[in-house]
Amino acid sequence: MLYSGARPAEIAQLAISDVRQDHGHWIMDITETSDDDDDESVKSVKTEGSRRVVPVHKELVKLGFLDYHAEMKKAGQSRLFPLAERNSRGQMIADYSREFGRYLTRIGLKKGRGVSLYSFRHGAFDALRRAGYMDEQFNFIFGHVSGNKVTRGYGVLAQGMIEHRVELINAIAYPDLKLDHLQDESRNAQVAEG
């Protein structure tokens, strides 16, 4: 979420086949359709405009996201996060999302409302604004439809060709965020396995 701006459920429901290369770039295909017939794989998006292609951020590659994807594929998983569950109302990871907020309260990072799992998504919006982009330039990458109904209906190409999408996603940066320890853990795990 921090490096894609995707909603929690959109990430949690990704299928292995949703992460793939497109014109030489790794992407996440966020969609409500599934390649699998089993009921657990039924996916949904918030709105029609929420269906979209989001490039995999270069920082996620460094952190081992593609290695994790390859491991899940090799293990025969159909879903990228096979432990992600729907609640009794069919909402993907809603229980986890609620518990995440409670966890933040328990460790003293949250008092009352405000900080939540969605804060990662909001951070991606702010990162693109810090990078100098206007909301109208990147809303489509987050699944927000912009433009009026007339202009949205013209043409057949989706907004933002893949190179433009890659540029936008890779502009998401958090200058004070230190993730080196995660990269070291990923490398150490690979060395131990290899």
Side-chain angles (χ1 to χ4, degrees):
M1 292 174 58
L2 193 62
Y3 285 106
S4 69
R7 296 172 181 92
E10 292 172 339
I11 295 291
Q13 70 186 6
L14 285 172
I16 294 294
S17 60
D18 291 334
V19 178
R20 62 183 179 278
Q21 285 198 305
D22 182 8
H23 293 89
H25 301 284
W26 281 95
I27 57 114
M28 294 180 283
D29 190 3
I30 297 175
T31 179
E32 80 282 1
T33 59
S34 176
D35 296 334
D36 199 337
D37 290 332
D38 105 29
D39 289 341
E40 282 290 280
S41 67
V42 174
K43 300 188 312 184
S44 64
V45 290
K46 187 173 179 180
T47 67
E48 178 77 16
S50 296
R51 288 186 290 174
R52 63 201 184 278
V53 169
V54 179
V56 174
H57 193 287
K58 60 187 175 187
E59 190 67 30
L60 291 178
V61 174
K62 279 196 242 176
L63 291 170
F65 178 75
L66 296 178
D67 295 331
Y68 172 78
H69 173 263
E71 289 172 22
M72 292 295 101
K73 187 174 184 176
K74 184 177 177 183
Q77 295 292 339
S78 61
R79 292 179 41 223
L80 190 58
F81 301 104
L83 299 179
E85 297 177 343
R86 294 185 183 280
N87 66 11
S88 59
R89 293 173 32 199
Q91 300 164 315
M92 182 58 87
I93 71 163
D95 295 339
Y96 173 81
S97 183
R98 207 171 9 268
E99 183 54 36
F100 184 78
R102 292 176 184 144
Y103 170 73
L104 294 177
T105 300
R106 283 195 304 273
I107 64 172
L109 290 178
K110 176 181 177 177
K111 290 184 185 191
R113 300 179 61 90
V115 180
S116 70
L117 192 55
Y118 262 83
S119 297
F120 293 110
R121 177 172 163 82
H122 296 190
F125 277 80
D126 287 341
L128 282 174
R129 291 171 183 147
R130 265 192 316 277
Y133 291 98
M134 302 295 288
D135 292 7
E136 297 77 29
Q137 293 174 285
F138 63 78
N139 271 338
F140 72 94
I141 205 88
F142 296 115
H144 289 176
V145 177
S146 59
N148 64 42
K149 288 184 180 186
V150 174
T151 59
R152 283 197 313 259
Y154 279 54
V156 294
L157 294 176
Q159 289 191 64
M161 301 305 284
I162 190 70
E163 288 77 16
H164 179 61
R165 290 170 186 259
V166 169
E167 175 187 322
L168 283 170
I169 285 297
N170 285 332
I172 297 172
Y174 305 96
D176 296 327
L177 180 61
K178 306 292 182 229
L179 298 175
D180 296 342
H181 65 288
L182 296 176
Q183 291 174 1
D184 293 340
E185 287 176 20
S186 177
R187 268 190 234 108
N188 290 340
Q190 289 173 357
V191 169
E193 289 175 3

